[in-house]
Amino acid sequence: MTNSGSNESPALLSVAQAVELLGVTRQRVHDLIKKGQIVARKLGRYYYIDAVEIERYKNQPTGKPYQPRSTTAQQNSIDN
């Protein structure tokens, strides 16, 4: 017999545990779930989040993506 690991399910975290790991408020976690930025499962009245989903969210880049400025406007102003 081989142990394929299929019996193991990913660790599920409560919203309160996610709050602790992310360092945000409970409302922020619910907002992230509602916006689809964190995938959660609803079991009864409560949401549960896979631990790997928390890690995925924490490792996302933050801020706006880098977009270099166009230099054409500066060159035109120098030419005049």
Side-chain angles (χ1 to χ4, degrees), residues 69-80:
R69 290 183 172 186
S70 172
T71 58
T72 57
Q74 292 173 353
Q75 290 175 350
N76 290 339
S77 64
I78 293 172
D79 293 338
N80 292 332

Side-chain angles (χ1 to χ4, degrees), residues 25-38:
T25 64
R26 178 180 288 273
Q27 184 61 48
R28 177 69 176 144
V29 172
H30 281 287
D31 288 343
L32 292 171
I33 292 169
K34 184 177 179 181
K35 291 177 183 177
Q37 294 178 338
I38 292 179

Side-chain angles (χ1 to χ4, degrees), residues 18-53:
V19 165
E20 291 292 321
L21 291 172
L22 294 175
V24 296
T25 64
R26 178 180 288 273
Q27 184 61 48
R28 177 69 176 144
V29 172
H30 281 287
D31 288 343
L32 292 171
I33 292 169
K34 184 177 179 181
K35 291 177 183 177
Q37 294 178 338
I38 292 179
V39 178
R41 301 175 191 178
K42 190 169 186 179
L43 301 173
R45 302 175 33 180
Y46 303 103
Y47 284 102
Y48 293 93
I49 306 161
D50 289 328
V52 293
E53 186 67 18

